[in-house]
Amino acid sequence: MTVPIIDTVDGDVALPPGFAHPHASEEARRIAEAGMVLRAQVGSGVHGTAIDGQDDRDEMGICLEPPEYVTGVARVPAGTATAAGTVEFEQYQRHTVWDRPGGLANRSGAGDLDVVIYSARKWCRLALAGNPTVLLLLFVPDAEVVHRAAAGAELVANAHRFVSGLAADRFLGYLRGQKAAMTGQPGAHTNRPELVARHGYDTKFAMHALRLGIQGVELLTTGRITLPVPEPDREYLRSVRRGDVGLPEVVTAIGEAEARLESLRSGGGVPDSRTSPG
């Protein structure tokens, strides 16, 4: 396989200041900023499913932590509280909505930033296991990339090395979780009761369930995810999110995507796993 040439992007590495959260200490922020090799938008904006004035901004990145944090010799504080103890450095996670009254209990909305910068070790572990959210970072178009150092460009150029059939179970798991939440099945949780009251189901969960099906099928057949979601699927996803599609039709569409993912578990166009070099 010919490895593509990926350009670097000399962008912003500054992160919101530390907070009283286990993965939001000032020390963790400094590590994430100093070692950042990749940072990009990964939410509805990059999928093309955002609704004007309704969405926060989700960003994800990867950093190379200093050797002492890789070996476990050094740890970071568990947040900014002096008595919080320490944790292994795995990520810096920060939601700007925490700064408003209500703190950690607040729900992100329009204009808020949710950002997580993973250690390279944790990101690779999740990506190799087929995690849908972290794999997206490898396919974000240049226009949505905030920062990409040489190491990040090399990582993106080798996206094919992280894609395997292991993603089938992960995409199915995420899809089924969103599907359960959209109708409030026992054990599921929705924090958007206003959508259920208006449309009879949580339209945002429904949109995400169907999106996961569409993108999972593409990944398992081509080894890549196209961002934003190509038409006509993108506009259909937006119509689901707006509540323009009735629940029976949505359930049928998600069921068809789920069945397609099931069929690709053992017959897709990608390796079964990444236990050997590819």
Side-chain angles (χ1 to χ4, degrees):
M1 172 179 286
T2 301
V3 177
I5 297 175
I6 304 296
D7 292 331
T8 59
V9 177
D10 187 15
D12 189 13
V13 299
L15 295 165
F19 197 82
H21 178 276
H23 296 292
S25 69
E26 277 295 304
E27 187 172 343
R29 179 186 61 79
R30 288 192 291 270
I31 292 170
E33 287 184 352
M36 193 181 300
V37 298
L38 187 59
R39 177 179 179 180
Q41 181 175 193
V42 293
S44 295
V46 77
H47 295 297
T49 58
I51 303 296
D52 290 344
Q54 295 185 21
D55 289 275
D56 57 359
R57 179 179 172 89
D58 294 304
E59 293 183 358
M60 182 184 296
I62 304 169
C63 69
L64 304 178
E65 64 269 45
E68 61 270 27
Y69 294 93
V70 176
T71 61
V73 172
R75 294 164 64 88
V76 295
T80 57
T82 56
T86 63
V87 294
E88 179 184 1
F89 176 75
E90 289 192 323
Q91 67 207 58
Y92 181 74
Q93 181 177 344
R94 187 68 161 86
H95 296 193
T96 57
V97 71
W98 294 345
D99 295 323
R100 297 203 290 271
L104 297 175
N106 291 331
R107 190 175 83 188
S108 294
D112 293 318
L113 171 65
D114 296 349
V115 59
V116 57
I117 307 297
Y118 288 112
S119 72
R121 291 174 302 131
K122 182 170 183 178
W123 183 89
C124 286
R125 185 169 70 246
L126 294 172
L128 288 169
N131 183 289
T133 306
V134 302
L135 283 172
L136 279 176
L137 197 54
L138 297 172
F139 307 106
V140 175
D142 287 355
E144 301 295 347
V145 173
V146 178
H147 177 76
R148 188 164 60 209
E154 183 178 3
L155 192 69
V156 171
N158 285 276
H160 61 284
R161 298 182 182 275
F162 292 90
V163 178
S164 76
L166 294 175
D169 284 335
R170 301 303 183 275
F171 272 85
L172 278 166
Y174 275 56
L175 181 155
R176 288 165 177 163
Q178 300 283 327
K179 182 174 71 170
M182 82 176 187
T183 53
Q185 292 180 23
H189 170 71
T190 177
N191 59 359
R192 291 180 287 267
E194 71 280 3
L195 294 180
V196 177
R198 189 180 311 140
H199 305 294
Y201 66 101
D202 188 314
T203 57
K204 192 169 183 180
F205 276 134
M207 182 271 292
H208 282 309
L210 186 54
R211 173 186 60 78
L212 284 160
I214 292 168
Q215 292 177 331
V217 167
E218 182 186 11
L219 182 72
L220 291 167
T221 53
T222 71
R224 298 193 62 81
I225 295 174
T226 303
L227 295 169
V229 176
E231 298 290 8
D233 288 327
R234 188 193 322 168
E235 182 51 38
Y236 188 73
L237 289 172
R238 288 169 59 84
S239 68
V240 169
R241 182 168 177 186
R242 291 192 299 264
D244 297 339
V245 182
L247 180 57
E249 181 179 335
V250 171
V251 170
T252 297
I254 293 172
E256 290 173 350
E258 185 178 3
R260 180 74 174 120
L261 274 175
E262 282 277 13
S263 71
L264 288 169
R265 269 178 160 169
S266 58
V270 298
D272 288 341
S273 68
R274 277 298 170 198
T275 56
S276 60

Short mmCIF file of all heavy atoms in Angstrom, two decimals, residues 155-180:
data_model
loop_
_atom_site.label_atom_id
_atom_site.label_comp_id
_atom_site.label_asym_id
_atom_site.label_seq_id
_atom_site.Cartn_x
_atom_site.Cartn_y
_atom_site.Cartn_z
N LEU A 155 1.06 9.52 11.69
CA LEU A 155 0.00 8.66 12.22
C LEU A 155 -1.18 8.61 11.25
O LEU A 155 -1.69 7.52 10.93
CB LEU A 155 -0.45 9.19 13.58
CG LEU A 155 -1.34 8.29 14.43
CD1 LEU A 155 -0.56 7.09 14.94
CD2 LEU A 155 -1.89 9.09 15.61
N VAL A 156 -1.63 9.76 10.78
CA VAL A 156 -2.76 9.83 9.86
C VAL A 156 -2.43 9.11 8.55
O VAL A 156 -3.28 8.42 7.97
CB VAL A 156 -3.15 11.30 9.60
CG1 VAL A 156 -4.19 11.40 8.49
CG2 VAL A 156 -3.71 11.92 10.88
N ALA A 157 -1.20 9.26 8.08
CA ALA A 157 -0.79 8.59 6.84
C ALA A 157 -0.86 7.08 6.96
O ALA A 157 -0.99 6.37 5.95
CB ALA A 157 0.62 9.03 6.45
N ASN A 158 -0.77 6.57 8.18
CA ASN A 158 -0.79 5.13 8.41
C ASN A 158 -2.10 4.68 9.05
O ASN A 158 -2.13 3.69 9.80
CB ASN A 158 0.39 4.73 9.29
CG ASN A 158 1.70 4.73 8.53
OD1 ASN A 158 2.04 3.75 7.87
ND2 ASN A 158 2.44 5.84 8.60
N ALA A 159 -3.18 5.38 8.71
CA ALA A 159 -4.49 5.05 9.29
C ALA A 159 -4.86 3.59 9.06
O ALA A 159 -5.48 2.95 9.92
CB ALA A 159 -5.56 5.97 8.68
N HIS A 160 -4.47 3.04 7.92
CA HIS A 160 -4.84 1.66 7.59
C HIS A 160 -4.30 0.66 8.60
O HIS A 160 -4.83 -0.45 8.73
CB HIS A 160 -4.32 1.30 6.20
CG HIS A 160 -2.84 1.38 6.05
ND1 HIS A 160 -2.16 2.59 5.92
CD2 HIS A 160 -1.89 0.41 6.03
CE1 HIS A 160 -0.86 2.34 5.81
NE2 HIS A 160 -0.68 1.04 5.88
N ARG A 161 -3.26 1.01 9.32
CA ARG A 161 -2.67 0.10 10.30
C ARG A 161 -3.52 -0.05 11.56
O ARG A 161 -3.27 -0.94 12.38
CB ARG A 161 -1.26 0.56 10.67
CG ARG A 161 -0.29 0.59 9.49
CD ARG A 161 1.10 1.01 9.91
NE ARG A 161 2.00 1.08 8.77
CZ ARG A 161 2.67 0.03 8.27
NH1 ARG A 161 2.54 -1.16 8.83
NH2 ARG A 161 3.47 0.18 7.23
N PHE A 162 -4.49 0.83 11.73
CA PHE A 162 -5.33 0.79 12.93
C PHE A 162 -6.71 0.21 12.66
O PHE A 162 -7.50 0.05 13.59
CB PHE A 162 -5.48 2.21 13.50
CG PHE A 162 -4.20 2.77 14.06
CD1 PHE A 162 -3.34 3.49 13.25
CD2 PHE A 162 -3.86 2.56 15.38
CE1 PHE A 162 -2.15 4.01 13.76
CE2 PHE A 162 -2.68 3.06 15.89
CZ PHE A 162 -1.82 3.78 15.07
N VAL A 163 -7.02 -0.07 11.41
CA VAL A 163 -8.37 -0.51 11.05
C VAL A 163 -8.42 -2.03 10.92
O VAL A 163 -7.60 -2.62 10.22
CB VAL A 163 -8.81 0.14 9.72
CG1 VAL A 163 -10.19 -0.37 9.31
CG2 VAL A 163 -8.82 1.66 9.85
N SER A 164 -9.36 -2.65 11.61
CA SER A 164 -9.53 -4.10 11.51
C SER A 164 -10.97 -4.47 11.79
O SER A 164 -11.80 -3.64 12.18
CB SER A 164 -8.61 -4.81 12.52
OG SER A 164 -9.13 -4.72 13.83
N GLY A 165 -11.27 -5.75 11.63
CA GLY A 165 -12.60 -6.25 11.89
C GLY A 165 -13.03 -6.12 13.34
O GLY A 165 -14.22 -6.27 13.65
N LEU A 166 -12.08 -5.83 14.23
CA LEU A 166 -12.45 -5.61 15.63
C LEU A 166 -13.43 -4.45 15.77
O LEU A 166 -14.18 -4.37 16.74
CB LEU A 166 -11.19 -5.32 16.47
CG LEU A 166 -10.19 -6.46 16.62
CD1 LEU A 166 -8.94 -5.99 17.36
CD2 LEU A 166 -10.81 -7.64 17.35
N ALA A 167 -13.41 -3.54 14.78
CA ALA A 167 -14.31 -2.39 14.85
C ALA A 167 -15.77 -2.80 14.74
O ALA A 167 -16.65 -2.06 15.20
CB ALA A 167 -13.96 -1.40 13.73
N ALA A 168 -16.07 -3.95 14.15
CA ALA A 168 -17.47 -4.35 13.96
C ALA A 168 -18.20 -4.43 15.30
O ALA A 168 -19.29 -3.87 15.46
CB ALA A 168 -17.53 -5.70 13.24
N ASP A 169 -17.60 -5.10 16.27
CA ASP A 169 -18.25 -5.23 17.57
C ASP A 169 -18.38 -3.88 18.27
O ASP A 169 -19.38 -3.61 18.94
CB ASP A 169 -17.46 -6.20 18.46
CG ASP A 169 -17.69 -7.64 18.07
OD1 ASP A 169 -18.74 -7.95 17.49
OD2 ASP A 169 -16.80 -8.47 18.36
N ARG A 170 -17.36 -3.03 18.12
CA ARG A 170 -17.40 -1.72 18.78
C ARG A 170 -18.48 -0.84 18.16
O ARG A 170 -19.25 -0.19 18.87
CB ARG A 170 -16.04 -1.03 18.69
CG ARG A 170 -14.89 -1.79 19.32
CD ARG A 170 -15.14 -2.10 20.80
NE ARG A 170 -13.99 -2.76 21.40
CZ ARG A 170 -13.76 -4.06 21.37
NH1 ARG A 170 -14.61 -4.85 20.73
NH2 ARG A 170 -12.70 -4.58 21.96
N PHE A 171 -18.55 -0.80 16.83
CA PHE A 171 -19.59 0.00 16.19
C PHE A 171 -20.97 -0.54 16.54
O PHE A 171 -21.90 0.24 16.80
CB PHE A 171 -19.39 0.01 14.67
CG PHE A 171 -18.48 1.11 14.19
CD1 PHE A 171 -17.11 0.93 14.18
CD2 PHE A 171 -19.00 2.31 13.75
CE1 PHE A 171 -16.26 1.94 13.73
CE2 PHE A 171 -18.17 3.33 13.30
CZ PHE A 171 -16.79 3.14 13.29
N LEU A 172 -21.13 -1.86 16.56
CA LEU A 172 -22.42 -2.44 16.93
C LEU A 172 -22.79 -2.08 18.36
O LEU A 172 -23.95 -1.76 18.65
CB LEU A 172 -22.38 -3.95 16.75
CG LEU A 172 -22.59 -4.47 15.34
CD1 LEU A 172 -22.20 -5.94 15.25
CD2 LEU A 172 -24.04 -4.28 14.90
N GLY A 173 -21.82 -2.16 19.26
CA GLY A 173 -22.09 -1.83 20.65
C GLY A 173 -22.54 -0.40 20.83
O GLY A 173 -23.52 -0.11 21.54
N TYR A 174 -21.84 0.52 20.19
CA TYR A 174 -22.20 1.93 20.27
C TYR A 174 -23.57 2.17 19.63
O TYR A 174 -24.41 2.90 20.16
CB TYR A 174 -21.15 2.80 19.57
CG TYR A 174 -19.96 3.16 20.43
CD1 TYR A 174 -19.19 2.18 21.05
CD2 TYR A 174 -19.58 4.48 20.60
CE1 TYR A 174 -18.09 2.51 21.82
CE2 TYR A 174 -18.49 4.82 21.37
CZ TYR A 174 -17.74 3.84 21.98
OH TYR A 174 -16.66 4.18 22.75
N LEU A 175 -23.81 1.57 18.47
CA LEU A 175 -25.09 1.72 17.79
C LEU A 175 -26.23 1.25 18.68
O LEU A 175 -27.25 1.94 18.83
CB LEU A 175 -25.07 0.93 16.47
CG LEU A 175 -26.32 0.99 15.57
CD1 LEU A 175 -25.93 0.71 14.12
CD2 LEU A 175 -27.38 -0.04 16.01
N ARG A 176 -26.06 0.08 19.27
CA ARG A 176 -27.15 -0.47 20.10
C ARG A 176 -27.37 0.36 21.36
O ARG A 176 -28.51 0.49 21.83
CB ARG A 176 -26.83 -1.92 20.44
CG ARG A 176 -26.99 -2.84 19.23
CD ARG A 176 -26.36 -4.20 19.42
NE ARG A 176 -26.62 -5.05 18.25
CZ ARG A 176 -25.94 -6.15 17.97
NH1 ARG A 176 -24.94 -6.55 18.76
NH2 ARG A 176 -26.23 -6.87 16.89
N GLY A 177 -26.31 0.92 21.90
CA GLY A 177 -26.47 1.80 23.05
C GLY A 177 -27.27 3.04 22.71
O GLY A 177 -28.16 3.46 23.47
N GLN A 178 -26.97 3.65 21.56
CA GLN A 178 -27.70 4.84 21.13
C GLN A 178 -29.15 4.48 20.80
O GLN A 178 -30.07 5.24 21.10
CB GLN A 178 -27.02 5.44 19.90
CG GLN A 178 -25.59 5.89 20.11
CD GLN A 178 -25.48 7.19 20.87
OE1 GLN A 178 -26.32 8.06 20.74
NE2 GLN A 178 -24.43 7.34 21.66
N LYS A 179 -29.35 3.33 20.18
CA LYS A 179 -30.71 2.90 19.83
C LYS A 179 -31.56 2.70 21.08
O LYS A 179 -32.73 3.08 21.13
CB LYS A 179 -30.66 1.61 19.01
CG LYS A 179 -32.03 1.12 18.56
CD LYS A 179 -31.93 -0.09 17.63
CE LYS A 179 -31.48 -1.34 18.38
NZ LYS A 179 -31.61 -2.56 17.55
N ALA A 180 -30.96 2.08 22.10
CA ALA A 180 -31.70 1.87 23.35
C ALA A 180 -32.04 3.20 24.00
O ALA A 180 -33.14 3.40 24.52
CB ALA A 180 -30.87 1.00 24.29
#
